[in-house]
């Protein structure tokens, strides 16, 4: 038979034995007798009594099995009994060293017969740790046998037991390695075996916690364990021969880490905030605090209990709040929460494990801050019974008085914000009260104008209350009342016209000087002695004048209903009334004159121009009449042709279509194309009627089959209206002005170009003076210049004329040479000036010319010039016999030469 012998198992720690409550109940069995079989039941406990802890089970003998029994405890505040006889603790309390004794009652529900039995509870004495360790031996774990031979066949042996887990306390102090169990196989008698373990804690992370002796199979732990890191290890033990062949199936070894109370409770928050309304009744929920413990929550080490250590402030009671020791719910237990007295409470909360055992449990604290929130338990109260104010009359949106109230509730909350209303003294609604959101004051404001002459003083009754109603049970009136006395100040008011506007009816055509009406104003200031003066403010047609004292309105021109200043037969004029008060005030009034029409306008033909064909068919012109009068002085109209000239009725005929329209037709078969002026007599229906000869300009033209004119000169022949002719003339004038301005601008630009001169004094101008360059050359004879351009054309042979624009030999042309002008042979000063200006212009436009500040060479005289040389002023020449006075007429540029040659002997 193959078996595995295990080594003695390690002793279970003392804590594992203390955590399990053992209950011992004793009794003797007797013959069937209704009632409790024992007189006394005893229970020995290993710990304090906890709430809900089962203590023992009492037996009740029900011989016939028909009785229905109800159990009761003599101490229902501490113990209760279920229907099955199990006794539980109602609350937690420490079990004293003395025996705790109470009675259990059983009562028949039908017969009311009653039985009782006594129960005694006692505390189990603790055993020393060493005696516990020595009281047990290390166990041996045996590999279960796999197979057996029966009649030559292999059969699996039934495994009827399970290897129990190994319980190992955390934080053990050693010594290490500490032996746990010994694993052996019964094959080690015949074979040399090697033992090993695998799994987390052995050969898997965290490695090296558990080791095994490969020869003896001794399993040991090498270091202290921490249940909060790993609460259970699952290892597998193996047995192989020296060749590594498996001789036994692996077995599972479970190691449970037993919890020790090595972690304090930790609150989720160090400071907890909660609120509770003031005036809350006892039992009102406030908040919940929560702490956690890293120890086993199913053991005493992780079972927490809460309690309040302190309360600040301690008014009105040091125990205003309580806490549920298991859930951490904080509720009120006393009345008297008043925010106006205490706005905040600070509680120190303690959480203790070991079910709150102060001796063995670990504790931690947190702070609970409870804010007492405001409710409307204080109505607003006015600071005075009467408030005073004053306001000028006719002023609106003016603050008259400032109402102040006090409220003990929290500021800027609905329980503090005041709402004001006027309960009396203002039937017309001339005042309103608004609340200042910052100060909570009531601002009495005028919303409708007040008349001093009507009422000099107002006495208002006002009330103030909060935005929300008072809380229930408050013994204060919900509102406060006060009186506001408002004095009205008299001011100078505007005079006013009554009625305004004033409407009168008059016929048009009234002559100047006619008195129309009297338009006066009234002064509302009855208590002021003031006079009123009248002036005209608006009179668009300047038809009226008003007397400054009595307000009589008189015409100064003829009233005309057809005036453009009359709208819908009504003429409006505005007048001003001013008093002599301090300060002076004024008011305006409007006079509306409804003008009745008279027949003062003759009708006119409409349209004034028309077209008609040369032949009568198709041929017709529809006309009507324009009359500025209105019914009955307008249509229907009568249309007729005059008797003279006789060609009118001979060529034309007019037919009345209705009261407003007539038709003009050619009477003859053909009328030569052209423009004809046809006079038409139009008479209106006024009384007396008014007639007028109106000219209709008719264009007679050739027409196509559709009756449309086909003349080339249709537009011209048709004639243009005065406005069109004026517009055309204006366009032509503007165009001519633009052309003239352009020509002037061009000429001015040319003159500016021609007038460019050196920025030097005219006396030093190189064009009028001879400059000395300090050169002692041989004069002009040693230079090859050609001055033929200054010679008279008629004295120069044609073949001797050089190309235009010859320069000095040292000047090399770069671009095409410009065409310099040839001076005319006439010696007129204007010609010479034009010649020089044209040469200057050509030089300005010459890109090869020297700079502006250089001496320009227009033409070189050359040798043998008949004009003589200018290089020496004292040369013997016959020029002195000539008359050079005409040089004075050539302008300032030739003044120097005129002085030199025309000055006589000087």
């Amino acid at each position: 038979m193959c078996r595995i012998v295990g080594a003695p198992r390690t002793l279970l720690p003392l804590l594992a034995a203390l955590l399990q409550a053992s209950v011992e109940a004793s009794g003797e069995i007797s013959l069937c007798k209704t009632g409790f079989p024992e007189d006394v039941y005893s229970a020995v406990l290993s710990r304090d009594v906890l709430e809900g802890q089962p203590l023992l089970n009492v037996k009740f003998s029900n011989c016939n099995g028909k009785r229905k029994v109800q159990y009761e405890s003599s101490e229902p505040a501490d113990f209760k009994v279920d229907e099955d006889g199990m006794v539980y603790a109602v609350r937690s309390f420490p079990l004293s060293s003395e025996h705790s004794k109470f009675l259990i009652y059983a009562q028949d529900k039908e017969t009311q017969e009653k039985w009782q039995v006594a129960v005694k509870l006692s505390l189990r004495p603790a055993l020393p740790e060493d005696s516990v360790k020595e009281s047990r031996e290390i166990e041996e774990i045996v590999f279960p046998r796999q197979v057996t031979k029966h009649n030559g066949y292999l059969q699996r042996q039934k495994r009827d037991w399970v290897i129990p887990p190994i319980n190992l306390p955390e934080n053990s102090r050693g010594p290490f390695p500490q032996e746990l169990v010994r694993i052996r196989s019964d094959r080690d008698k015949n074979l040399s075996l090697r033992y090993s373990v695998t799994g987390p804690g052995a050969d898997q992370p965290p490695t090296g916690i558990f080791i095994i002796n490969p020869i003896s199979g001794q399993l040991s732990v090498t270091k202290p364990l921490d249940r909060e890191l790993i609460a259970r290890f699952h290892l597998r033990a193996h047995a192989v021969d020296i060749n590594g062949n498996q001789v036994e199936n692996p077995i599972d070894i479970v190691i449970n880490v037993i919890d020790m109370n090595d972690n304090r409770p930790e609150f989720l928050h160090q400071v907890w905030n909660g609120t509770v309304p003031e005036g809350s009744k006892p039992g009102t929920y406030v908040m919940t605090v929560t702490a956690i413990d890293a120890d086993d929550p199913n053991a005493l080490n992780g079972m927490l209990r809460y309690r309040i250590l302190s309360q600040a402030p301690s008014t009105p009671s040091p125990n205003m709040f309580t806490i549920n020791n298991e859930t951490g719910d904080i509720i009120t237990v006393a009345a008297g929460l008043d925010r106006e007295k205490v706005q905040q409470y600070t509680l120190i909360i303690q959480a203790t494990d070991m079910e709150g055992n102060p001796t063995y449990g670990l504790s931690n604290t947190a702070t609970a801050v409870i804010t007492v929130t405001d409710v409307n338990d204080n109505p607003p109260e006015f600071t005075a019974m009467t408030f005073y104010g004053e306001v000028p009359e006719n002023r609106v949106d003016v603050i008259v008085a400032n109402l102040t109230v006090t409220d003990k509730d929290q500021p800027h909350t609905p329980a503090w914000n005041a709402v004001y209303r006027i309960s009396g003294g203002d039937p017309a609604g001339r005042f309103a009260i608004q609340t200042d959101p910052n100060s909570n004051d009531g601002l009495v404001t005028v919303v409708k104008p007040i008349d001093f002459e009507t009422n000099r003083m107002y006495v208002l009754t006002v009330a103030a209350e909060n935005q929300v109603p008072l809380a229930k049970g408050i013994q204060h009136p919900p509102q406060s009342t006060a009186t506001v006395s408002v004095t009205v100040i008299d001011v100078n008011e505007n005079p006013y016209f009554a009625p305004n506007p004033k409407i009168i009816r008059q016929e048009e055509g009234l002559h100047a000087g006619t008195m129309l009406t009297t338009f006066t104003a009234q002064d509302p200031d009855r208590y002021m002695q003031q006079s009123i003066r009248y002036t005209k403010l608006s009179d668009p047609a300047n038809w009226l004048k008003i007397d400054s004292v009595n307000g009589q309105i008189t015409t100064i021109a003829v009233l005309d209903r057809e005036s453009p200043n009359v709208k819908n037969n009504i003429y409006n004029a505005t007048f001003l009334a001013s008093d002599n008060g301090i300060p002076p005030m004024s008011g305006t009034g409007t006079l509306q004159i409804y003008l009745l029409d008279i027949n003062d306008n003759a009708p006119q033909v409409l349209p004034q121009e028309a077209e008609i064909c040369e032949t009568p068919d198709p041929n017709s012109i529809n006309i009507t009449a324009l009359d500025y009068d209105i019914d009955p002085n307008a249509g229907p109209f009568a249309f007729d042709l005059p008797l003279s000239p006789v060609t009118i009725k001979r060529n034309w005929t007019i037919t009345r279509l209705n009261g407003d329209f007539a038709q003009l037709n050619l009477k003859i078969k053909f009328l030569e194309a052209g423009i004809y002026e046809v006079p038409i007599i139009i008479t209106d229906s006024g009384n007396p009627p008014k007639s007028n000869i109106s000219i209709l300009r008719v264009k007679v033209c050739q027409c196509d089959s559709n009756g449309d004119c086909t003349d080339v000169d249709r537009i011209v022949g048709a004639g243009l209206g005065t406005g069109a002719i004026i517009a055309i003339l204006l366009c032509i004038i503007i165009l001519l002005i633009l052309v003239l301005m352009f020509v002037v601008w061009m000429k001015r630009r040319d003159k500016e170009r021609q007038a460019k001169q050196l920025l030097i004094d005219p006396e030093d101008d190189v064009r009028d003076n001879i400059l000395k360059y300090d050169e002692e050359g041989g004069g002009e004879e040693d230079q090859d210049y050609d001055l033929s351009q200054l010679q008279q054309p008629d004295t120069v042979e044609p073949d001797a004329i050089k190309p235009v624009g010859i320069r000095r030999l040292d000047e090399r042309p770069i671009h095409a040479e410009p065409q310099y002008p040839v001076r005319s042979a006439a010696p007129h000063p204007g010609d010479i000036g034009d010649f020089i200006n044209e040469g200057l212009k050509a030089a300005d436009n010459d890109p090869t010319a020297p700079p502006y500040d250089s001496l320009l060479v227009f033409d070189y005289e050359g040798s043998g010039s008949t004009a003589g040389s200018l290089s020496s002023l004292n040369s013997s020449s016959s020029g002195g016999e000539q008359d050079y006075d005409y040089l004075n007429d050539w302008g300032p540029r030739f003044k120097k030469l005129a002085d030199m040659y025309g000055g006589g002997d000087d």
Side-chain angles (χ1 to χ4, degrees):
M1 177 179 181
C2 178
R3 68 183 182 87
I4 299 174
V5 180
R9 191 173 183 179
T10 57
L11 292 176
L12 295 178
L14 178 61
L15 182 61
L18 294 177
L19 293 178
Q20 300 178 355
S22 62
V23 179
E24 299 179 358
S26 62
E28 298 182 359
I29 302 175
S30 59
L31 297 176
C32 182
K33 181 180 178 182
T34 301
F36 294 102
E38 297 293 336
D39 294 334
V40 178
Y41 284 93
S42 299
V44 180
L45 306 179
S46 59
R47 55 182 174 180
D48 293 347
V49 179
L50 303 177
E51 180 181 353
Q53 176 182 345
L55 304 179
L56 73 161
N57 194 332
V58 295
K59 302 292 185 179
F60 183 82
S61 299
N62 190 359
C63 296
N64 54 14
K66 297 181 179 180
R67 292 180 180 272
K68 295 182 180 180
V69 180
Q70 181 179 0
Y71 297 99
E72 294 180 0
S73 171
S74 62
E75 298 182 8
D78 297 332
F79 307 98
K80 68 176 181 178
V81 186
D82 286 351
E83 294 181 356
D84 59 354
M86 181 62 69
V87 181
Y88 295 92
V90 176
R91 64 181 181 89
S92 300
F93 58 90
L95 190 63
S96 62
S97 58
E98 299 179 358
H99 298 322
S100 178
K101 183 177 181 181
F102 62 94
L103 299 178
I104 300 297
Y105 301 100
Q107 186 175 6
D108 192 330
K109 294 181 179 180
E110 296 181 356
T111 63
Q112 303 298 321
E113 187 176 358
K114 197 171 186 179
W115 298 267
Q116 70 178 21
V117 67
V119 178
K120 291 183 179 181
L121 302 179
S122 60
L123 184 65
R124 173 191 293 275
L127 298 176
E129 184 178 357
D130 294 338
S131 62
V132 173
K133 289 184 179 180
E134 296 175 358
S135 63
R136 309 191 60 176
E137 297 180 353
I138 297 177
E139 296 184 2
E140 294 181 350
I141 298 179
V142 180
F143 280 95
R145 187 169 181 176
Q146 294 178 329
V147 295
T148 59
K149 278 189 177 182
H150 182 71
N151 298 329
Y153 298 98
L154 293 176
Q155 293 181 346
R156 181 176 296 276
Q157 182 179 5
K158 183 178 180 181
R159 182 176 180 181
D160 56 357
W161 58 280
V162 178
I163 298 175
I166 301 173
N167 296 324
L168 185 63
E170 64 174 334
N171 303 325
S172 176
R173 296 182 179 179
F176 296 103
Q178 178 181 351
E179 296 182 353
L180 300 181
V181 294
R182 184 171 299 165
I183 301 174
R184 293 191 61 186
S185 172
D186 55 1
R187 294 189 180 186
D188 60 356
K189 297 177 181 179
N190 302 324
L191 299 174
S192 177
L193 302 182
R194 296 294 183 267
Y195 300 99
S196 64
V197 289
T198 61
D203 62 342
Q204 298 178 17
T207 60
I209 296 179
F210 300 98
I211 59 175
I212 189 170
N213 189 316
I215 304 299
S216 63
Q218 179 66 46
L219 180 65
S220 304
V221 61
T222 61
K223 62 176 66 175
L225 303 181
D226 189 353
R227 189 203 68 84
E228 286 71 40
L229 296 178
I230 302 177
R232 173 178 291 188
F233 293 91
H234 190 180
L235 306 178
R236 303 199 78 182
H238 306 270
V240 297
D241 58 15
I242 58 176
N243 296 323
N245 297 321
Q246 179 176 317
V247 297
E248 297 287 357
N249 288 333
I251 60 173
D252 295 331
I253 300 176
V254 177
I255 300 175
N256 293 328
V257 183
I258 303 302
D259 185 41
M260 301 291 289
N261 192 16
D262 58 344
N263 290 281
R264 290 182 178 275
E266 296 290 340
F267 283 92
L268 297 181
H269 304 287
Q270 193 60 33
V271 178
W272 297 78
N273 294 290
T275 59
V276 61
E278 62 175 331
S280 297
K281 296 181 180 179
T284 302
Y285 170 80
V286 179
M287 60 189 300
T288 300
V289 297
T290 304
I292 57 175
D293 197 317
D295 293 326
D296 188 0
N298 298 320
L300 288 176
N301 299 332
M303 295 183 180
L304 306 182
R305 295 296 181 265
Y306 302 93
R307 70 189 186 99
I308 299 176
L309 296 182
S310 64
Q311 169 191 307
S314 59
T315 57
S317 171
N319 298 315
M320 296 295 295
F321 305 93
T322 186
I323 188 171
N324 187 308
N325 63 348
E326 292 185 1
T327 63
D329 294 342
I330 299 176
I331 60 175
T332 60
V333 293
L337 290 173
D338 190 351
R339 190 204 64 84
E340 286 73 33
K341 296 180 180 179
V342 179
Q343 299 182 1
Q344 193 177 81
Y345 289 90
T346 302
L347 307 180
I348 304 300
I349 309 299
Q350 183 186 60
T352 307
D353 57 16
M354 297 294 292
E355 292 189 321
N357 190 311
T359 303
Y360 305 105
L362 301 177
S363 302
N364 210 339
T365 60
T367 302
V369 179
I370 301 175
T371 302
V372 182
T373 58
D374 186 41
V375 298
N376 192 13
D377 56 348
N378 294 282
E381 297 181 1
F382 284 103
T383 58
M385 295 300 297
T386 303
F387 296 89
Y388 299 92
E390 59 182 19
V391 59
E393 63 174 332
N394 301 322
R395 295 282 299 275
V396 294
D397 298 330
V398 178
I399 298 177
V400 177
N402 192 10
L403 311 181
T404 56
V405 295
T406 58
D407 196 319
K408 298 179 181 179
D409 292 321
Q410 185 175 359
H412 306 292
T413 61
W416 179 81
N417 295 335
V419 178
Y420 300 88
R421 60 184 178 88
I422 299 174
S423 58
D426 184 25
R430 301 184 183 275
F431 298 91
I433 306 178
Q434 299 177 352
T435 304
D436 188 324
N438 297 322
S439 63
N440 210 28
D441 294 345
L443 307 178
V444 182
T445 309
V446 180
V447 296
K448 292 182 181 180
I450 300 175
D451 187 10
F452 172 83
E453 287 72 23
T454 303
N455 197 341
R456 301 185 182 184
M457 179 175 290
Y458 290 87
V459 179
L460 309 178
T461 302
V462 296
E465 56 188 1
N466 292 125
Q467 289 182 348
V468 295
L470 288 176
K472 295 182 179 179
I474 303 301
Q475 304 298 324
H476 295 287
Q479 64 183 13
S480 177
T481 59
T483 300
V484 181
S485 178
V486 180
T487 301
V488 183
I489 302 175
D490 189 18
V491 297
N492 187 20
E493 299 179 72
N494 298 324
Y496 64 93
F497 289 88
N500 189 14
K502 183 176 182 180
I503 302 175
I504 62 174
R505 299 170 64 92
Q506 290 287 344
E507 283 190 353
E508 64 173 332
L510 287 179
H511 298 288
T514 303
M515 199 276 288
L516 296 181
T517 185
T518 299
F519 196 23
T520 58
Q522 299 179 10
D523 193 345
D525 299 311
R526 298 195 302 267
Y527 301 98
M528 297 182 183
Q529 301 298 326
Q530 299 177 154
S531 61
I532 298 177
R533 309 286 292 182
Y534 302 95
T535 57
K536 184 172 64 174
L537 190 62
S538 173
D539 184 11
N542 197 23
W543 289 345
L544 309 173
K545 71 175 181 179
I546 187 170
D547 189 280
S548 61
V549 177
N550 56 25
Q552 286 186 356
I553 298 176
T554 308
T555 62
I556 58 176
V558 177
L559 305 184
D560 185 7
R561 191 198 64 84
E562 290 75 29
S563 170
N565 298 308
V566 177
K567 307 297 181 182
N568 298 325
N569 303 326
I570 296 177
Y571 179 76
N572 292 314
T574 306
F575 300 92
L576 181 70
S578 304
D579 61 20
N580 57 351
I582 300 176
M585 303 299 291
S586 61
T588 61
T590 301
L591 177 64
Q592 292 184 341
I593 306 175
Y594 188 89
L595 295 175
L596 303 177
D597 185 40
I598 63 175
N599 194 12
D600 57 346
N601 291 279
Q604 299 176 3
V605 68
L606 190 70
Q608 296 180 356
E609 298 177 355
E611 292 180 354
I612 195 171
C613 298
E614 293 177 332
T615 59
D617 188 23
N619 237 3
S620 63
I621 299 175
N622 292 329
I623 61 174
T624 185
L626 173 65
D627 194 334
Y628 292 105
D629 293 325
I630 59 175
D631 291 336
N633 297 319
F637 301 98
F639 301 88
D640 198 1
L641 295 175
L643 298 177
S644 59
V646 295
T647 56
I648 299 300
K649 283 201 171 184
R650 183 182 63 190
N651 297 336
W652 306 92
T653 179
I654 190 167
T655 304
R656 181 181 180 186
L657 299 179
N658 54 35
D660 294 327
F661 292 91
Q663 193 174 75
L664 181 67
N665 297 282
L666 273 176
K667 189 175 183 180
I668 60 178
K669 294 182 179 181
F670 177 80
L671 184 62
E672 185 180 356
I675 298 177
Y676 299 86
E677 292 185 353
V678 180
I680 299 175
I681 302 174
I682 306 176
T683 306
D684 60 20
S685 300
N687 187 16
K690 204 172 188 64
S691 62
N692 179 36
I693 298 178
S694 184
I695 302 300
L696 174 63
R697 300 179 76 249
V698 180
K699 176 190 175 184
V700 180
C701 60
Q702 296 179 1
C703 298
D704 55 13
S705 59
N706 296 325
D708 298 328
C709 287
T710 58
D711 294 350
V712 177
D713 58 342
R714 177 181 177 183
I715 298 177
V716 178
L720 296 175
T722 304
I725 294 175
I726 294 175
I728 293 175
L729 292 177
L730 287 176
C731 293
I732 294 174
I733 293 173
I734 293 174
L735 183 61
L736 292 176
I737 292 175
L738 292 178
V739 173
L740 182 60
M741 291 176 63
F742 179 75
V743 172
V744 171
W745 176 76
M746 291 295 295
K747 286 186 171 294
R748 182 177 180 182
R749 189 178 68 170
D750 293 340
K751 288 184 178 181
E752 289 178 353
R753 289 181 177 179
Q754 296 173 4
K756 290 183 178 178
Q757 301 177 6
L758 295 176
L759 301 178
I760 58 177
D761 187 73
E763 293 294 333
D764 299 328
D765 194 343
V766 296
R767 292 170 292 184
D768 298 337
N769 298 278
I770 298 176
L771 301 179
K772 182 179 180 182
Y773 289 92
D774 294 331
E775 295 181 5
E776 299 181 358
E780 59 189 25
E781 297 295 332
D782 61 341
Q783 300 183 21
D784 188 10
Y785 288 134
D786 182 11
L787 300 179
S788 61
Q789 299 301 319
L790 297 178
Q791 297 176 354
Q792 297 293 338
D794 53 352
T795 62
V796 181
E797 296 296 332
D799 55 354
I801 299 177
K802 294 182 180 181
V804 178
I806 297 299
R807 298 173 180 79
R808 298 191 304 268
L809 297 179
D810 58 344
E811 289 182 300
R812 192 184 193 107
I814 299 176
H815 302 284
E817 297 185 43
Q819 297 298 322
Y820 285 92
V822 178
R823 184 172 64 87
S824 174
H828 192 274
D831 294 340
I832 296 176
D834 293 338
F835 169 76
I836 295 177
N837 288 330
E838 290 175 1
L840 178 61
K841 180 178 179 182
D844 290 339
N845 296 328
D846 186 4
T848 62
Y852 183 79
D853 55 354
S854 300
L855 180 63
L856 298 178
V857 178
F858 293 97
D859 281 300
Y860 179 59
E861 300 178 11
S863 60
S865 173
T866 59
S869 174
L870 298 178
S871 60
S872 176
L873 295 178
N874 297 323
S875 62
S876 59
S877 173
S878 61
E881 299 175 358
Q882 300 181 12
D883 185 9
Y884 294 100
D885 292 338
Y886 64 89
L887 294 177
N888 292 321
D889 299 333
W890 288 8
R893 298 183 180 180
F894 296 92
K895 185 178 183 302
K896 190 69 174 179
L897 292 176
D899 294 340
M900 294 171 60
Y901 287 90
D905 295 340
D906 295 335

